[in-house]
Amino acid sequence: MLWGDGALSGETIFSLELMGKKEGKKDFIRQIIAGDLAKGKHETTITRFPPEPNGFLHIGHARAICLNFGLAQENPGARCHLRFDDTNPVKEDTKYVEAIQADIKWLGYDWGEHLYFASDYFDYFYDCAVQLIKDGKAYVDLQSPEEMKAGRGNVKEAGTNSPYRDTSVEENLELFEKMKNGEIGEGKAVLRAKIDMESPNMNMRDPALYRILHAHHHRTGDKWKIYPMYDFAHPLEDAKECITHSLCSLEFEDHRPLYEWVVQNCPTPSEPRQIEFSRLNLTYTVMSKRKLLDLVNEGIVAGWDDPRMPTLSGMRRRGYAPESIRTFIEGRGITKFNSNTDFALLEADVRAHLNANADRRMAVLEPLKLVIDNWEEGRVEEMECMNNPENPEAGTRKVPLGKEVYIERDDFMEEAPKKYFRLAPGQAIRLRGGYILNYVSHEKDPETGEVTQVHVEYIPGTIGQNAPEGIKCKAAVHWVSVDHAVDAEIRLYDRLFTEENPDGFEGGFMKCLNPESLKVIKGAKVEPVLAESGKEYSCQFERVGYFCTDKEDHEQGEKIVFNRTVELKAAKF
Ligand code: ATP
Ligand code: MG
């Protein structure tokens, strides 16, 4: 995949970035900020993260969050505001406001007392608009949307002035007042900045500042019948909060002249500087909130926090640690070049974190029963098993062993091929942390031919010791004692899409869904200590993968539900 479309340039840049990082070189934004501070341009830095509450945050947002909040942590006296950019009432909702706050905190960041809502500035935006009209820099255009579109021209042709461009200030003030009071219908008028219809930058061709929307707002109710456009509101929000560096994604580069125009022409308390950086894109997923909403609304996933979603809530529910997301984001650096990052890189960081930190436990997903013929009825012995071989401090735990044991169905074969080293006629296996078991016989369902149980004999004195002469034992398998096993539901999650670039898939992203993105195993058996784990407990099921208890459906001691976080090793393509 590293050599796939667009990936090469992105990954090459990324490795160059990393080289810079190792030498302690700052990314270009950190360099600009350090320069501004050195010149005394600002006393400190104030950044902001400005989500629109129209969906949950995704891994792309994590780049903006880590950058903005990260800067606040790195510079003395600096801070980062959380500001909800709630200027479009139609798609916004308080449930998103709450989810966004929870996700940012989970990721490890805090805005302190600096929580703001663009809707708190609606009066200020309005006053700025009135000032622009008074200064002859804005006018109400009564053309139809089609006429306005035609008048804008295109990249090759200059636009033409609207017939309303030179209406008097008084008349404009009156019309704008009418817009505000709901006396003009939706789509019948807009307030436009008077800039330059011939500008080579389309954004400067008398852009709309306000539109009419007779919509209910989740915070201001029915007070407003007009709502500011993003390009007008955003610079004013930044200036109002004295943001020093307004960091946004690359698609706003062409909007920067308008951003500056608004700041310069409105009564603002400060002059923030906009700097753009490239968005984070990931293979095998879609990132636009509109598309994520489609997945939710069409029932393709169980909700915004479904573990297959690229949302922070989904990744949390899947068992990704916030540390590994931060490591992943930092590892990619901040650049000016758009690229598509391999999802496997994120998984590698998730895995590395869990490998170092997660407990080892045993779970049998497809159980096959072994009967230890030479084990006395009722005898229970405790095996001492390591909690994490990567971390000796994690210690050991005792795992009970009785006369009957579950192992994975595929750890036994009736007719073993040459390279099969697990249990088979003539072959022994070791129980992890326990005895060597030697094959005796097996039973089958006469109708289906399925192996129903296997008889074995344990070899005393083999815990931690080699097999005695004449016994072939080359593998140690995970196991759960039948009498002590706890039932569990295990959800095996996989990628949601089969294509590396679902956005570019012919027929649309909905046409390349992975039909096997979720497989539910109801009859799994896990070791008894797991009955006591609470929600969001992460562990490695030995030889199987990394798993975590589900944040919603798992109930300690009642209903054991594990989600697969990531496989033990990266899949080979
Ligand atoms: P989407 O297109 O997914 O709906 P958006 O940009 O409209 O995203 P906002 O809520 O407006 O979503 O985003 C808040 C902030 O997060 C913005 O500053 C935006 O630039 C940044 N952001 C959004 N997506 C990404 C991404 N993929 N990579 C980096 N930053 C992003
Ligand atoms: Mg947006």
Side-chain angles (χ1 to χ4, degrees), residues 369-415:
K369 196 194 274 183
L370 305 187
V371 182
I372 310 175
D373 289 343
N374 60 342
W375 191 278
E376 300 79 26
E377 279 304 330
R379 169 180 166 194
V380 177
E381 225 180 277
E382 285 182 325
M383 306 292 119
E384 183 123 6
C385 296
M386 294 263 270
N387 280 330
N388 186 349
E390 299 288 321
N391 173 17
E393 278 173 31
T396 60
R397 71 188 183 289
K398 295 199 157 60
V399 186
L401 173 65
K403 188 173 174 65
E404 294 182 327
V405 195
Y406 291 119
I407 62 166
E408 291 299 342
R409 190 155 276 283
D410 67 5
D411 282 337
F412 171 76
M413 269 185 104
E414 229 184 330
E415 288 166 40

Side-chain angles (χ1 to χ4, degrees), residues 52 230 252 289:
E52 189 182 348
Y230 178 88
F252 292 104
K289 282 183 277 184

Side-chain angles (χ1 to χ4, degrees), residues 26-328:
K26 292 184 165 90
D27 61 60
F28 76 98
I29 290 185
R30 286 179 164 87
Q31 286 178 25
I32 293 173
I33 289 179
D36 285 349
L37 286 172
K39 277 183 258 161
K41 199 169 163 200
H42 317 282
E43 273 171 32
T44 184
T45 52
I46 307 176
T47 51
R48 86 288 173 263
F49 174 64
E52 189 182 348
N54 60 354
F56 278 46
L57 296 177
H58 50 59
I59 183 78
H61 289 115
R63 172 173 286 178
I65 296 171
C66 293
L67 175 62
N68 284 295
F69 284 98
L71 284 165
Q73 290 175 347
E74 289 157 30
N75 294 294
R79 63 178 198 249
C80 177
H81 296 181
L82 170 59
R83 182 204 312 139
F84 286 97
D85 211 336
D86 55 349
T87 54
N88 179 7
V90 186
K91 292 184 177 164
E92 295 162 3
D93 200 296
T94 22
K95 76 167 184 244
Y96 297 132
V97 171
E98 281 154 22
I100 288 170
Q101 297 192 42
D103 285 344
I104 298 173
K105 289 218 161 133
W106 173 76
L107 199 54
Y109 298 105
D110 195 353
W111 49 91
E113 63 213 28
H114 299 285
L115 172 64
Y116 303 99
F117 290 85
S119 52
D120 288 342
Y121 310 139
F122 279 173
D123 285 304
Y124 171 59
F125 301 149
Y126 180 77
D127 292 344
C128 288
V130 169
Q131 191 59 51
L132 286 176
I133 297 173
K134 286 183 180 162
D135 294 342
K137 291 174 181 166
Y139 61 98
V140 173
D141 197 335
L142 298 172
Q143 292 184 100
S144 70
E146 296 73 33
E147 285 167 330
M148 256 182 264
K149 191 162 179 273
R152 276 187 86 209
N154 54 48
V155 272
K156 289 195 191 124
E157 276 172 56
T160 46
N161 286 352
S162 160
Y164 298 93
R165 204 174 197 259
D166 295 316
T167 317
S168 73
V169 168
E170 290 67 35
E171 228 174 308
N172 274 314
L173 286 173
E174 208 174 294
L175 281 168
F176 191 50
E177 178 78 12
K178 279 192 175 155
M179 281 172 64
K180 179 191 173 213
N181 294 338
E183 291 165 39
I184 305 182
E186 283 186 18
K188 299 280 184 242
V190 290
L191 182 73
R192 295 177 77 174
K194 197 189 283 186
I195 306 180
D196 179 5
M197 289 307 288
E198 291 180 11
S199 170
N201 182 337
M202 297 290 289
N203 295 302
M204 300 299 271
R205 294 188 186 173
D206 290 11
L209 304 178
Y210 259 101
R211 62 187 166 149
I212 300 171
L213 259 186
H214 294 177
H216 185 85
H217 188 281
H218 69 108
R219 293 188 84 240
T220 56
D222 297 313
K223 178 175 173 195
W224 294 91
K225 310 290 179 205
I226 51 172
Y227 289 91
M229 304 303 288
Y230 178 88
D231 280 338
F232 180 55
H234 203 77
L236 294 177
E237 294 157 21
D238 285 344
K240 182 94 178 147
E241 291 173 20
C242 296
I243 300 299
T244 54
H245 299 86
S246 175
L247 312 176
C248 61
S249 33
L250 223 47
E251 70 273 19
F252 292 104
E253 198 164 19
D254 290 346
H255 297 241
R256 195 189 326 135
L258 178 53
Y259 183 100
E260 288 167 358
W261 185 93
V262 172
V263 170
Q264 279 154 19
N265 288 284
C266 291
T268 56
S270 76
E271 287 197 16
R273 169 171 178 191
Q274 174 179 308
I275 309 171
E276 309 85 18
F277 61 92
S278 67
R279 286 171 94 88
L280 174 75
N281 298 305
L282 275 189
T283 57
Y284 293 101
T285 192
V286 293
M287 210 93 95
S288 126
K289 282 183 277 184
R290 185 180 56 74
K291 291 177 183 168
L292 298 177
L293 184 63
D294 285 349
L295 292 169
V296 173
N297 285 345
E298 297 198 16
I300 309 286
V301 293
W304 283 96
D305 68 346
D306 185 294
R308 290 165 291 182
M309 291 283 268
T311 53
L312 295 179
S313 294
M315 291 182 173
R316 171 178 184 177
R317 202 166 162 188
R318 177 104 174 225
Y320 288 18
E323 295 90 329
S324 38
I325 294 181
R326 293 200 306 263
T327 304
F328 166 72

